[in-house]
Amino acid sequence: MSCPDKFVEYMHDFLDEDIAPENERELRAHLQTCQACETHFKELKKAVAFVQSTAHVKAPDHFTAGVMAALPKERKKVEVNRWFKQHPFLAAASLFILLMGASILSTWNQEQQFSFSKQPNLIVEDDTVIVPEGEVVKGDIVVRNGKLKIEGEVQGDVTVINGEQYMASAGKVTGEISEVNEVFEWIWYHIKETAKSTVNLGEGDKQSLEP
Amino acid sequence: METIVNSRISQVLKGDQNAYGEIVELYKDKIFQLCYRMLGNRHEAEDIAQEAFIRAYINIHSFNQNKKFSSWIYRIATNLCIDRIRKKKPDYFLDAEVPGTDGLNMYSQIASETSLPEEELESLELQETVQKEIAKLPEKYRTVIVLKYIEELSLNEISEILDLPLGTVKTRMHRGREALRQQLRNV
Ligand SMILES: [Zn+2]
């Protein structure tokens, strides 16, 4: 005996959950009376159930690590950038230590000596640096382990490390004045400077992975 | 889930490679499973699944974020599996059938390490049989059967993944089921 093909099609439509109600009624009625089609339908459902019964498998351990290791390297700057964004202070501090590293103590010792930035119109008397009255000193002035007397004008920042600064009434500084005294402050000052330049480095970089 | 994925993709596009790791975590099991059922071998499945994620990463700028990422990664993985099946040399095929290779190995390993109750042992054997019968299907039927009954995707999703009309997907599904019926009727 042979049944119309449509019944097998209805079976598949049924399994796809996409069967018209009248076709479903027709199929059910036929299955009641036809042994062959009933068996066919049962075997189809059994095959589907077998496939569905296979256990779910999971990706092996370290799968993600394997993928990540095989990706083309992202640009170094992006990596550095992300790290800085996540740890801005730590980044500055470690970069500072990295740069200053082993030489930090010798640097400190060396900086115990009197030193200053070398603008041509500065006058030096003993351990005092003088910005003479009527003179305009261009650029930032840094004085270490000494005094700074400002009688004229400074067009820039003034930093005195381990020292003091006096400002005469006629004295004028266009930038910021800061005094750094203890070792800790000295380190802090460097960290802040490093952080500033680090941030600048980060901001300058707007690259994406796209070529 | 798609929202999380899209925000991670935006991060990846900005150059943040780490964000991609989260995407891999979300889909690794599904993609690995697809490859495993398509290829019938764990080692190859891992290879191809990883390759799929690497390709997706490299081409991420061409992914349309208005679409589902899952469909996209499924598509890449499916195509890679089909390529691999087609490239398989006949002798390689024979190798894979020999006891001692992956699938059977896994079975015998589990069976010997633990003394399983009779029925669990039977179920493991059955699993092996089913896996083998799936592997015998021509790849275009295998693909739709695996996507539908193992990955549990809808016919519409499958049509999107394979970029085939719904009607074609249905026809393949019907033929795949008929083939499986023949193969599994006496199990
Ligand atoms: Zn009939």
Side-chain angles (χ1 to χ4, degrees), chain A residues 95-152:
Chain A
L95 197 62
F96 170 72
I97 289 162
L98 194 77
L99 295 176
M100 301 318 207
S103 67
I104 190 159
L105 278 177
S106 63
T107 309
W108 172 247
N109 287 337
Q110 184 191 318
E111 286 181 352
Q112 295 293 40
Q113 291 155 16
F114 176 47
S115 70
F116 53 93
S117 51
K118 304 271 191 284
Q119 279 90 347
N121 44 359
L122 288 175
I123 293 172
V124 183
E125 283 173 6
D126 296 321
D127 63 344
T128 305
V129 177
I130 300 165
V131 179
E133 205 170 348
E135 291 278 345
V136 176
V137 175
K138 292 186 176 157
D140 300 345
I141 296 181
V142 179
V143 176
R144 286 199 170 85
N145 308 306
K147 293 170 190 154
L148 175 68
K149 223 182 237 181
I150 304 166
E151 292 168 351

Side-chain angles (χ1 to χ4, degrees), chain A residues 39-40 42-54, chain B residues 125-137 145 149-150 176-187:
Chain A
T39 306
H40 190 124
K42 270 190 185 158
E43 286 171 352
L44 278 177
K45 287 197 281 190
K46 183 171 123 182
V48 166
F50 273 148
V51 174
Q52 285 174 321
S53 76
T54 56
Chain B
E125 272 176 273
L126 181 62
Q127 299 243 354
E128 289 303 319
T129 308
V130 174
Q131 171 72 47
K132 264 196 228 161
E133 296 306 328
I134 293 173
K136 281 184 195 163
L137 291 174
I145 292 287
Y149 292 114
I150 290 175
R177 271 192 300 246
E178 284 300 330
L180 278 176
R181 179 183 76 90
Q182 301 277 1
Q183 292 167 217
L184 290 166
R185 69 203 297 184
N186 296 320
V187 171

Side-chain angles (χ1 to χ4, degrees), chain A residues 62-112:
Chain A
H62 314 301
F63 181 88
T64 304
V67 172
M68 297 309 283
L71 295 183
K73 284 276 165 284
E74 65 180 350
R75 293 193 187 166
K76 211 70 198 165
K77 272 190 170 179
V78 175
E79 227 170 89
V80 171
N81 245 359
R82 177 179 49 238
W83 200 79
F84 279 153
K85 270 180 203 146
Q86 284 164 1
H87 322 275
F89 177 76
L90 218 57
S94 61
L95 197 62
F96 170 72
I97 289 162
L98 194 77
L99 295 176
M100 301 318 207
S103 67
I104 190 159
L105 278 177
S106 63
T107 309
W108 172 247
N109 287 337
Q110 184 191 318
E111 286 181 352
Q112 295 293 40

Side-chain angles (χ1 to χ4, degrees), chain B residues 136-147:
Chain B
K136 281 184 195 163
L137 291 174
E139 84 238 4
K140 56 183 180 178
Y141 303 156
R142 200 189 315 175
T143 310
V144 291
I145 292 287
V146 169
L147 289 174

Side-chain angles (χ1 to χ4, degrees), chain B residues 94-156:
Chain B
L94 283 176
D95 269 357
E97 302 270 336
V98 168
T101 49
D102 259 325
L104 287 171
N105 214 355
M106 190 176 66
Y107 158 64
S108 40
Q109 228 178 333
I110 297 169
S112 65
E113 277 172 11
T114 50
S115 52
L116 289 174
E118 193 77 359
E119 41 197 86
E120 278 186 49
L121 213 65
E122 269 171 31
S123 127
L124 270 173
E125 272 176 273
L126 181 62
Q127 299 243 354
E128 289 303 319
T129 308
V130 174
Q131 171 72 47
K132 264 196 228 161
E133 296 306 328
I134 293 173
K136 281 184 195 163
L137 291 174
E139 84 238 4
K140 56 183 180 178
Y141 303 156
R142 200 189 315 175
T143 310
V144 291
I145 292 287
V146 169
L147 289 174
K148 169 80 182 167
Y149 292 114
I150 290 175
E151 301 291 332
E152 298 170 327
L153 299 172
S154 73
L155 294 183
N156 281 317

